[in-house]
Every structure is written in structure tokens, then in C-alpha cells.
Amino acid sequence: MRRLISALVAAAMLVAPAFVSAVPVDDRDAFITELLSKMTIEEKIGQMHLPAYPQLVTGGAYNANIDSLAEHGLLGGIFNILDVEGIRHLQELAVEKSRMGIPLLVGLDVVHGYNTIFPIPLALASSWDIPAIERTARIAAKEASAGGINWTFSPMVDISRDPRWGRQAEGAGEDPFLGAAIARAMVRGYQGDNLSAKDNILACVKHFALYGAAEGGRDYNTVDMSRQQMFNVYFPPYKAAVEAGAGSVMSSFNLVDGLHATANKWLLTDVLRRMWGFKGFVVTDYASIAEMGVHGFGSLERNSVAALEAGTDMDMTSDAFIRCLKNAVDRGEVTMERINTSVRRILEAKYDLGLFRDPYKYSSGDRDARKANAADAAFARRMAAETFVLLKNQNSLLPLKPTGKIALIGPLADTGANMVGTWSVTAHGNYPSLLDAMREAVGNRGEVIYAKGANLYSDAHIEAGATPGKFAMRDSRSEEAMLAEAVAVAKQADVIVAALGEGAEGSGEGSSRARLTLPDTQHRLLEALLATGKPVVMLNFSGRATVLTWESEHVPAIMNVWFGGSEAAGAIADVVFGKVSPSGKLTVSMPYCEGQIPVYYNHLVTGRPKRPDDGRYAAYTSNYFEIPNHPLYPFGYGLSYTTFEYSDLRLSSDRMDADGSITASVKVTNTGNRRADEVVQLYLHDVERSLAPPVQELKGFERISLDAGESRTVTFTIDPSMLKFYNYNLDYVAEPGEFEVMTGGCSDRCLKASFNYME
Ligand code: BGC
């Protein structure tokens, strides 16, 4: 590489000194045309080159002499650099030293916050609170932009029906409708109305496409799927992000129809640009072009051309374009026109960000907006509390009184660093732990006593993988000693809170799991705590749906707390002690056991369905010997400290015409004794159609807040666009016939009505 850079640099130095545009900067097309007309081929290909700064590395990063590339105009951008002075320095080299003076894109995985860290995306989705999710992206953009970042590799909108896949943590779950709503909100939050404002950053929707359907849930694995499933289930969130104006798209690591997504022209050009009208640029996911060789697609030269021809504009870390494209042009395999097209798209993004007017707007270093502020932290705490999902609450064990002796036990009880979850690249690690927050909440009204009780895993190697670097927290005592201490502490208490589950990196990229139950050592701890006879509340930390079948039979109260971000601990204390009622609803189905995967609510029906799905085996029907077909906890499920009753589902008409619409209204009553939020859900079911219909599909939802005893009628408008699907020929149509309408507080507990759609 070093030799290559020297050759490129030598070529760049032969060209005339700094270029000054004669065209006014306010005419974007003319300005970029002028730039392009003056750029050498090396400079053009340089714009298509995105190396990683060796500060944060997630894969096989190549060593690049980045200063020299910037100075010679051979760099489109840089990513994984976290210090604003370093960014400014590189920007100065690019703008003041390079011949064309083209500023750099500066990327980072700002995935769920920057300094104020919000819950992981899967948790955010569980809030179903779209305006609040948009606000998390807005705050992230404000902070990241002040830290020199102008481009985030987010939102990640991959649908995931397989919790073995660790990256389920980074997306919105299994539903295309909710996923699309969140995708739009995140793009709006990052990019605002006007990308050139100083605190807006470019979004990058990823990973296009189908990455969440990796076989066996093993990361980076093969994907193979019908086009009908792509269009109806997996594509909607990407499409929604594109329609919301996402300025860039990242292709994915997986295969699509046997081709690498990065070199799939149907995907990157026919679907993305021709069908959806995408105007921004496409970047590879990390070293995808280099990895194509490992897949068996041949040489880097061949794969560079294939990726470019398919529609890739920028190469992240493979050093493929910068090594191979010039020769490919010389050999006549690639036209200059094709190169110009990609470079134009990249320059347009820089232009839209306002970088040509003020290249230092992000790296001026004179703002402290990048620091977390108190109002944003308070919002992050409220937001985190909205994401927790109460799975079980026998005899209203929760909320706890902040009095008496409370034993807080578990490997996740006293580790602030683990609260933030995966892709928290800017986390400092010193966040309050649950123990800190519970002690603060209780004050002198009671006492919180603590024991760790167990390591995360008996196997130190697995634990190291699930808690890398600064998050490592292994206790060197024996399992027996830790358990004995925990039991002794638990015996003194009135109630036990068990903080169990995954480490921060136990889910996320490369963190696939084949067993989704609590690791053995934590399971033994939980059994021992239950054996004390004291009431036990289990807090399950996870970045995915896990298997809680044993727990749901034996533990009286269970709440999924995901990874709640920098304010998670306080938020958990708020909910545990009842300051806030839980209101999160699952966006991924929680399976009975791993063998049930994939299990998801919007499934199709077999010719031999098992009805009722009561778990009693029936020969020659579609069922298992051991478990029912439905999941343990379904999509849309989540309890509250109050109860909600649904009644009076009414349709404004029992028929709908092609140019008409109807309303569905339902009365929701808070039948408990405290104010709380509820997510009211609307599902439709096309009873008969030409392509096998799912049993139900989410088509609307509304988060409402009701006082004790209060009722509200929630009204959804249903129009023909909501009945449409991609048929066998991939035409987007609504077919006449009967539709069922379902509303309720969970996908499997709905009131039903139906109407006829007439064309
Ligand atoms: C991940 C992407 C990420 C990129 C840059 C890759 O390994 O798959 O999601 O944006 O690295 O950090």
C-alpha cells in the first residue's frame, strides 16, 4: 500500500497548484461540473476511497498513510476518528494543501447517541415512541457534529426474525411497518430539514440489504430469500429511509441472489435507484470488496469493477478502488463516465452538508454542544424508562417499595460500563451502575445490599468476547464462593432484585449465540436465589430476544431492560420503584426455545395449521411435539403497573371503495389505579388473496397516556394504500375481498371486526 500511495502522491504532484473555482458556489451542479472537469483520474478515484482511521477497528483495517492521502486529494473521507483536533488537522490538509481543496466526509457509527447515549436501537423500538426516537437522533447529531463528525452510519434498519443474530440489537425488530416508521424518524433526526445547518449530519441507511436474514443467525452468513419476501417484509424500512431523504446507503456483507450485495446491480441500481429514486451515494460495508474474494468471486480487480458497475460509489477500507479502478479504466473495463457519476454523488453530499462553504463547520472546536447536557440526560432517562418491557408481574410484586432490605444481586448489578450496550463507541465507561442508582433512589428509607453472585459466563473466553476491552469485569473467585456470598446476602433481604443477562457486547456485530437461555452460571445463581424463598424480581439485560421459558415459570416478576444507555441505571430505578410505569412492548417475539426460531407474529399459515395452538401435540398438523407454535412472549407484548381494557371496536363502514377510506375506533380504559402509557396497536389481515397472506400485519399504532379510570377512543384511518402488498409479479396492489381489523395492546390479544374492500 505504501508504494501505491507514493505513486499516487507523485502523480498528484505533477499537476498544477491549487484549483480555485470560477463558478459561484451557490450553483451546485455547475460548481460540481467545474470541479469534475479539473480533477485528475487519481483525484476522482481518491474521492471514492474511505479508509478507517486506526483509532477504532472492527475488522481487518488496512494501514493507510492518511495524512499524505488527504494532502494529495486522494481521500473522500475518513471514519472512526474521535478527536476533533485530529479531524480538523485532516480537514486542513485536504482543504488547504490538496490541489482541489475538497473537504472530507468524517464518518462514525453514531448508532444510539454520541455523548448522551440512548438505549440500543432494539430497546428504542420497544418504546414505539416515534417522536422521541427522532429526538434521540437529533441530540446525537447535535453532539456528534460538534465533535467533528458529519456522517453517521445509521440508521440500521435490517429486519430481524432471528435472535441468534447479535445485530438484532441494532435494529427495530421483526416488523416492516414499525421499522419503516423508525427509519424515517432517524433520518429526519440526523439530517433535519436542511443538511447544511451546522448541527445536522448525513445519515447512512444500512445494511442494504437483507443482512438480518443471515442463515442460522450466524453473523455475515449467507442469505437466500424470495423476491416477494424481500419486497413485502425486508425492504420497507430501507425504502422508507430513502424516501425520507437519507443521503447515503451502505450495502451489506451478505449475498443477495447468490451475488454479493455490494456487487448486485439489481439491488443497488434497479431497486435502489430506478424503483426508489435514491439520489445519494452507496458505500460498502467495511472491506466488502476485499471479502468478495474470500466468498469465491475472484480477484480484487474483478470485484472492484463488479462493485462499481453494480452501483457502489465508495469503497470502505478495502483499498480496492484506489488500487484497481485506474487500471480498469485504462483497460477499458470501466468508463470515465461511470467514475464521474460516483464522484459527483459524493461531491453532492459534501456540497449539501455545506462543506464547500465552510469545511470547518464541524471541527471548529468552539462549541460545547458535543458535551451531554442536563436536559438531554433527563430526556435519555425518560426515554430509557419507556423501553423496558415488563414480561411478568405476579401479584403485582413490582413496583417495589423503597423500604426495608433489598438485595441486588447479579453480574450486571454493579457495572455502569455495561449499561450502554453495543456500538457505544464514544462511551467513557463510568456511568452509574444499577447499585448506585438503587441506593440513591432508596436513600435512607431502606437499604440496598449487594453481591455479584456469578460471572457472566463460567467460560472466561466467552466472557472476554461478550465484554471486550474496558468492559471486562471478570471476578477471579470460584463460582461456589460467589454463590455462597450471594445466598448469604439474599437471606438477609425482604426482596431480591437479580440483575442478569448479557454483557454489553454479548449482542452486536459478530456476537451470534446458539443458546439464548441464561448462561449456566447465572442460571444456577437464579435457582439459588429462588430457593431462599424470598420474592425475586429478575431484570434481564439483553440486546435481543432471549429464551426465558424456565424463568417465566419460576420467577414471579421479570422485566427486560435491554441496554438502556448512559442514563439506564436511574431509569431502571425509576421503574423498579414505581416512579414510572413500564410501557415498552416487544418488537421481537421471544421464543420458547432456540428450535422454534424463526418465530414471528406476521407469519403465513400452513395447509395443516394446529388450532387451537395449545401446545398439545396433534399428529399430521403443523406443530412440535414439545412446545406450541406461538412464541413465549409475542410481538407487541408488554405489561404495565396498571391494566388497560379494550372495548367497542367500531368500523365506520363494513365496506371500503378503492377511492375511499374507513375508520376503526376502539375505546381504551385504564382500569387500574395509576396513570400510565399504553401502545394501542392496529393490525390487518387480508383473508383471501393471490399471494399467501400473513395472519396479521401491523398497520398503525398510537402511544397514549391515561389516568386511572380514564377512557379514550383511539381512531385509526384505514385506506386502500394500507391494504397493498407486492404480489407474485411484484406489482404493488390491493385485492378486493374481506379484511379483518384487529386492535389491542398486544398482537395476540385483539378485538376483531371486518370489512369488505371493493374495487
Ligand atoms: C459494520 C457496519 C459499520 C462499519 C463501520 C462494519 O463492520 O457492519 O455496521 O457501520 O463496520 O464501522
Side-chain angles (χ1 to χ4, degrees):
M1 187 60 193
R2 196 167 285 280
R3 208 157 349 115
L4 172 76
I5 293 173
S6 317
L8 289 168
V9 165
M13 286 189 327
L14 292 177
V15 191
F19 160 80
V20 182
S21 174
V23 174
V25 76
D26 39 277
D27 183 340
R28 184 177 88 159
D29 288 350
F31 179 77
I32 292 174
T33 303
E34 165 86 357
L35 268 186
L36 278 170
S37 72
K38 300 282 162 50
M39 288 168 81
T40 63
I41 182 167
E42 287 83 1
E43 286 163 340
K44 288 178 180 176
I45 295 170
Q47 287 301 308
M48 302 163 76
H49 180 49
L50 179 72
Y53 197 78
Q55 198 165 358
L56 280 170
V57 172
T58 55
Y62 294 84
N63 186 9
N65 185 340
I66 286 161
D67 276 22
S68 174
L69 289 172
E71 198 176 330
H72 294 94
L74 301 171
L75 201 57
I78 185 79
F79 74 105
N80 279 357
I81 173 164
L82 291 178
D83 92 275
V84 72
E85 281 79 32
I87 293 171
R88 168 113 194 172
H89 164 73
L90 287 173
Q91 203 64 282
E92 278 170 359
L93 291 178
V95 172
E96 280 153 44
K97 294 273 172 65
S98 82
R99 197 181 68 91
M100 300 300 295
I102 298 174
L104 302 174
L105 289 171
V106 182
L108 187 73
D109 291 271
V110 181
V111 171
H112 52 112
Y114 184 77
N115 276 329
T116 308
I117 298 182
F118 295 101
I120 55 166
L122 183 63
L124 287 176
S126 310
S127 75
W128 301 55
D129 190 341
I130 304 300
I133 293 172
E134 179 170 339
R135 188 165 163 202
T136 66
R138 181 90 296 281
I139 293 169
K142 181 189 68 166
E143 292 177 356
S145 61
I149 306 302
N150 53 40
W151 183 24
T152 177
F153 304 136
S154 173
M156 186 285 217
V157 304
D158 304 320
I159 293 289
S160 161
R161 292 170 157 181
D162 191 335
R164 291 172 297 183
W165 190 53
R167 305 198 77 170
Q168 189 172 72
E170 298 173 49
E174 70 191 36
D175 184 65
F177 181 84
L178 180 64
I182 292 176
R184 276 183 220 107
M186 301 279 294
V187 171
R188 279 196 306 264
Y190 291 132
Q191 296 194 165
D193 294 333
N194 171 13
L195 249 188
S196 69
K198 75 175 182 347
D199 51 7
N200 289 341
I201 59 180
L202 190 73
C204 184
V205 56
K206 69 187 188 186
H207 308 84
F208 195 57
L210 320 178
Y211 183 31
E215 279 180 4
R218 181 155 52 78
D219 206 4
Y220 316 121
N221 203 6
T222 300
V223 172
D224 198 358
M225 159 183 321
S226 73
R227 295 260 162 118
Q228 289 74 16
Q229 172 129 301
M230 293 181 198
F231 277 87
N232 285 310
V233 181
Y234 283 77
F235 280 174
Y238 307 112
K239 180 166 183 273
V242 166
E243 285 168 358
S248 64
V249 166
M250 185 185 293
S251 58
S252 55
F253 285 132
N254 53 279
L255 306 182
V256 173
D257 293 344
L259 300 179
H260 198 289
T262 302
N264 188 316
K265 189 166 192 174
W266 172 77
L267 186 71
L268 299 185
T269 299
D270 295 351
V271 175
L272 184 63
R273 294 195 185 275
R274 299 208 178 110
M275 291 177 77
W276 298 350
F278 177 62
K279 298 269 182 293
F281 70 94
V282 173
V283 62
T284 65
D285 190 2
Y286 224 83
S288 283
I289 302 180
E291 288 178 17
M292 283 175 69
V294 189
H295 278 275
F297 290 111
S299 67
L300 194 68
E301 287 73 20
R302 182 233 171 241
N303 294 331
S304 301
V305 173
L308 180 77
E309 288 302 323
T312 300
D313 302 301
M314 187 182 260
D315 163 22
M316 185 195 290
T317 75
S318 288
D319 295 340
F321 283 179
I322 201 167
R323 274 173 194 263
C324 306
L325 286 189
K326 181 164 185 299
N327 290 340
V329 172
D330 292 344
R331 287 196 304 268
E333 289 170 17
V334 161
T335 62
M336 255 339 274
E337 199 190 338
R338 176 65 195 88
I339 304 261
N340 286 342
T341 301
S342 284
V343 179
R344 178 178 286 279
R345 290 173 185 151
I346 293 161
L347 295 177
E348 281 172 355
K350 295 182 177 187
Y351 185 98
D352 293 346
L353 280 164
L355 286 172
F356 286 106
R357 285 175 198 276
D358 180 3
Y360 305 118
K361 57 187 282 229
Y362 293 99
S363 54
S364 57
D366 61 358
R367 288 184 283 152
D368 15 81
R370 84 183 110 137
K371 302 207 183 87
N373 70 39
D376 293 341
F379 167 64
R381 181 165 171 160
R382 280 203 311 281
M383 185 74 234
E386 278 191 14
T387 69
F388 306 148
V389 182
L390 183 62
L391 298 171
K392 181 177 176 190
N393 195 17
Q394 197 174 310
N395 301 328
S396 299
L397 176 55
L398 281 171
L400 300 182
K401 291 195 191 61
T403 52
K405 264 197 181 161
I406 302 163
L408 175 62
I409 294 181
L412 293 162
D414 192 22
T415 162
N418 251 279
M419 309 300 271
V420 290
T422 190
W423 280 121
S424 300
V425 292
T426 45
H428 54 61
N430 297 322
Y431 303 103
S433 72
L434 187 53
L435 181 60
D436 301 329
M438 282 184 48
R439 284 196 166 139
E440 192 182 319
V442 165
N444 53 19
R445 290 176 293 178
E447 195 187 347
V448 181
I449 50 181
Y450 163 75
K452 181 165 178 178
N455 278 311
L456 278 173
Y457 293 91
S458 324
D459 183 326
H461 179 68
I462 299 182
E463 178 148 332
T467 58
K470 59 190 172 180
F471 300 133
M473 52 187 206
R474 196 161 177 84
D475 197 309
S476 58
R477 287 176 293 166
S478 71
E479 180 171 325
E480 295 69 32
M482 292 172 79
L483 195 68
E485 180 196 55
V487 170
V489 169
K491 281 186 174 160
Q492 301 164 36
D494 304 308
V495 61
I496 301 166
V497 176
L500 306 174
E502 298 187 320
E505 296 294 339
S507 42
E509 185 173 349
S511 297
S512 300
R513 288 178 66 189
R515 296 202 183 98
L516 296 174
T517 48
L518 267 188
D520 291 351
T521 180
Q522 295 192 52
H523 178 76
R524 288 190 284 272
L525 170 64
L526 183 58
E527 272 185 322
L529 297 178
L530 289 164
T532 63
K534 312 274 178 173
V536 176
V537 173
M538 174 179 171
L539 301 175
N540 189 46
F541 287 81
S542 78
R544 61 176 95 215
T546 55
V547 171
L548 296 172
T549 308
W550 186 90
E551 291 76 5
S552 75
E553 280 166 26
H554 296 93
V555 185
I558 309 173
M559 185 158 72
N560 225 79
V561 293
W562 316 109
F563 293 100
S566 42
E567 302 297 322
I572 296 173
D574 290 344
V575 178
V576 164
F577 293 115
K579 243 189 180 171
V580 180
S581 177
S583 56
K585 304 272 189 178
L586 292 177
T587 66
V588 278
S589 304
M590 287 200 163
Y592 269 93
C593 61
E594 297 82 357
Q596 203 182 19
I597 297 168
V599 59
Y600 46 90
Y601 87 97
N602 47 354
H603 60 85
L604 308 178
V605 192
T606 70
R608 296 183 180 196
K610 173 70 176 51
R611 287 185 184 130
D613 180 23
D614 53 7
R616 282 164 54 89
Y617 173 73
Y620 302 112
T621 62
S622 179
N623 66 163
Y624 298 102
F625 277 115
E626 312 90 342
I627 55 165
N629 291 337
H630 62 258
L632 177 66
Y633 295 114
F635 179 85
Y637 175 84
L639 304 173
S640 162
Y641 290 159
T642 187
T643 42
F644 295 98
E645 194 182 287
Y646 286 73
S647 60
D648 302 338
L649 169 59
R650 295 217 168 93
L651 302 186
S652 59
S653 168
D654 60 5
R655 52 172 287 171
M656 192 202 309
D657 300 322
D659 54 356
S661 66
I662 62 169
T663 60
S665 56
V666 65
K667 187 169 156 196
V668 188
T669 307
N670 179 343
T671 48
N673 54 16
R674 55 175 295 156
R675 184 180 177 80
D677 288 4
E678 166 72 338
V679 180
V680 183
Q681 301 156 39
L682 170 81
Y683 298 89
L684 295 181
H685 171 215
D686 195 343
V687 176
E688 200 180 299
R689 72 181 200 193
S690 60
L691 194 79
V695 289
Q696 57 184 155
E697 291 174 283
L698 185 74
K699 292 291 174 179
F701 57 91
E702 193 174 327
R703 209 186 145 90
I704 59 171
S705 206
L706 291 181
D707 281 326
E710 188 185 351
S711 294
R712 181 162 332 147
T713 297
V714 175
T715 302
F716 297 100
T717 300
I718 305 173
D719 65 41
S721 71
M722 292 158 73
L723 315 181
K724 288 190 171 176
F725 66 101
Y726 290 89
N727 68 12
Y728 185 76
N729 298 323
L730 303 180
D731 297 324
Y732 194 50
V733 296
E735 292 179 359
E738 186 188 351
F739 283 80
E740 254 177 1
V741 178
M742 297 165 238
T743 59
C746 176
S747 62
D748 75 345
R749 255 153 272 186
C750 287
L751 299 175
K752 292 185 183 165
S754 66
F755 67 90
N756 263 294
Y757 173 62
M758 337 275 240
E759 259 181 353

